[in-house]
Amino acid sequence: DLDQFDYLVWMDSDLILIPPDLPTILIFANPTGVTAPLVLIEEPGPLGPNQFYDTTAFVLKGRANYAANSTEPYVKGRSVEMFPPYIPDKEDSTDLVELDGVGTCY
Protein backbone atom coordinates (compact mmCIF):
# COMPACT_ATOMS: atom_id res chain seq x y z
CA ASP A 1 0.00 0.00 0.00
CA LEU A 2 1.79 3.11 -1.25
CA ASP A 3 -0.44 5.40 0.83
CA GLN A 4 1.77 4.70 3.84
CA PHE A 5 4.79 6.41 2.19
CA ASP A 6 5.48 10.07 1.55
CA TYR A 7 7.98 9.45 -1.27
CA LEU A 8 9.12 6.67 -3.59
CA VAL A 9 12.52 6.44 -5.29
CA TRP A 10 12.80 4.27 -8.39
CA MET A 11 16.31 3.41 -9.65
CA ASP A 12 17.51 1.26 -12.52
CA SER A 13 19.55 -1.71 -11.30
CA ASP A 14 22.58 -0.87 -13.46
CA LEU A 15 23.43 2.46 -11.81
CA ILE A 16 26.97 2.30 -10.42
CA LEU A 17 27.54 5.57 -8.59
CA ILE A 18 24.74 7.20 -6.63
CA PRO A 19 25.27 10.05 -4.17
CA PRO A 20 24.06 8.87 -0.75
CA ASP A 21 21.92 11.99 -0.35
CA LEU A 22 20.28 11.73 -3.80
CA PRO A 23 16.73 11.15 -2.46
CA THR A 24 17.06 14.24 -0.25
CA ILE A 25 18.38 16.32 -3.17
CA LEU A 26 15.50 15.24 -5.44
CA ILE A 27 12.82 15.88 -2.79
CA PHE A 28 14.28 19.28 -1.89
CA ALA A 29 14.43 20.31 -5.57
CA ASN A 30 10.80 19.43 -6.31
CA PRO A 31 8.85 18.19 -3.25
CA THR A 32 5.52 17.73 -5.04
CA GLY A 33 6.62 16.41 -8.43
CA VAL A 34 8.54 13.67 -10.18
CA THR A 35 12.22 14.63 -10.33
CA ALA A 36 15.11 12.86 -12.02
CA PRO A 37 18.83 13.69 -12.02
CA LEU A 38 21.08 14.10 -15.03
CA VAL A 39 22.48 10.57 -15.48
CA LEU A 40 25.64 10.02 -17.53
CA ILE A 41 27.17 6.83 -18.91
CA GLU A 42 30.32 5.67 -17.15
CA GLU A 43 33.34 7.15 -18.92
CA PRO A 44 34.21 6.68 -21.61
CA GLY A 45 30.72 6.40 -23.08
CA PRO A 46 30.41 4.32 -26.26
CA LEU A 47 29.90 7.49 -28.32
CA GLY A 48 32.14 9.85 -26.34
CA PRO A 49 32.61 11.61 -23.00
CA ASN A 50 29.68 13.06 -21.01
CA GLN A 51 27.14 10.90 -22.85
CA PHE A 52 23.63 11.09 -21.37
CA TYR A 53 22.36 7.69 -20.21
CA ASP A 54 18.63 7.46 -20.96
CA THR A 55 17.74 9.59 -23.99
CA THR A 56 14.80 7.31 -24.83
CA ALA A 57 12.90 7.91 -21.57
CA PHE A 58 13.79 11.58 -21.06
CA VAL A 59 11.33 13.30 -23.41
CA LEU A 60 11.32 17.09 -23.88
CA LYS A 61 8.25 19.03 -22.73
CA GLY A 62 5.51 18.99 -25.36
CA ARG A 63 7.40 16.53 -27.58
CA ALA A 64 5.96 13.18 -26.44
CA ASN A 65 4.07 12.69 -29.72
CA TYR A 66 6.83 14.02 -31.97
CA ALA A 67 7.81 11.30 -34.48
CA ALA A 68 5.36 8.97 -32.73
CA ASN A 69 5.68 6.34 -35.47
CA SER A 70 9.46 6.18 -35.25
CA THR A 71 10.94 2.93 -33.95
CA GLU A 72 14.29 4.57 -33.17
CA PRO A 73 15.15 4.72 -29.46
CA TYR A 74 16.63 8.22 -29.88
CA VAL A 75 14.79 10.86 -31.89
CA LYS A 76 16.48 14.25 -32.17
CA GLY A 77 13.94 16.89 -31.21
CA ARG A 78 11.95 14.53 -28.94
CA SER A 79 14.60 13.22 -26.60
CA VAL A 80 17.08 14.94 -24.33
CA GLU A 81 20.33 15.38 -26.28
CA MET A 82 23.05 12.71 -25.96
CA PHE A 83 25.76 15.30 -25.25
CA PRO A 84 25.94 18.78 -23.68
CA PRO A 85 23.91 20.89 -23.80
CA TYR A 86 21.46 18.12 -22.93
CA ILE A 87 18.51 20.55 -22.95
CA PRO A 88 19.35 23.14 -25.63
CA ASP A 89 16.79 25.77 -24.54
CA LYS A 90 17.38 25.42 -20.80
CA GLU A 91 17.59 28.69 -18.92
CA ASP A 92 20.87 29.03 -17.00
CA SER A 93 19.00 30.40 -13.98
CA THR A 94 17.16 27.14 -13.24
CA ASP A 95 18.21 23.65 -12.21
CA LEU A 96 14.81 22.10 -12.98
CA VAL A 97 13.44 21.51 -16.47
CA GLU A 98 9.92 20.27 -17.18
CA LEU A 99 9.87 17.11 -19.30
CA ASP A 100 7.13 14.85 -20.63
CA GLY A 101 8.99 11.75 -19.45
CA VAL A 102 11.93 10.68 -17.30
CA GLY A 103 13.68 7.43 -16.50
CA THR A 104 16.65 5.78 -14.82
CA CYS A 105 16.21 7.27 -11.35
CA TYR A 106 13.18 9.25 -10.16
Side-chain angles (χ1 to χ4, degrees):
D1 182 17
L2 292 178
D3 290 334
Q4 62 184 327
F5 301 101
D6 293 326
Y7 299 98
L8 171 71
V9 176
W10 188 286
M11 295 185 195
D12 284 5
S13 63
D14 55 352
L15 296 176
I16 60 165
L17 181 62
I18 303 164
D21 61 343
L22 182 62
T24 302
I25 292 169
L26 297 177
I27 292 167
F28 184 74
N30 186 14
T32 61
V34 175
T35 307
L38 178 70
V39 181
L40 301 179
I41 294 176
E42 184 179 18
E43 296 293 340
L47 300 178
N50 298 315
Q51 185 178 347
F52 189 74
Y53 175 77
D54 199 351
T55 56
T56 302
F58 282 72
V59 178
L60 299 170
K61 181 76 173 168
R63 304 299 285 175
N65 292 320
Y66 178 77
N69 294 326
S70 175
T71 58
E72 296 297 317
Y74 172 76
V75 176
K76 187 165 182 66
R78 178 182 66 201
S79 305
V80 169
E81 296 292 326
M82 290 185 190
F83 299 98
Y86 305 102
I87 314 269
D89 299 330
K90 179 186 171 295
E91 294 178 23
D92 290 336
S93 62
T94 182
D95 289 335
L96 295 178
V97 176
E98 285 192 56
L99 299 173
D100 282 354
V102 297
T104 310
C105 176
Y106 48 95

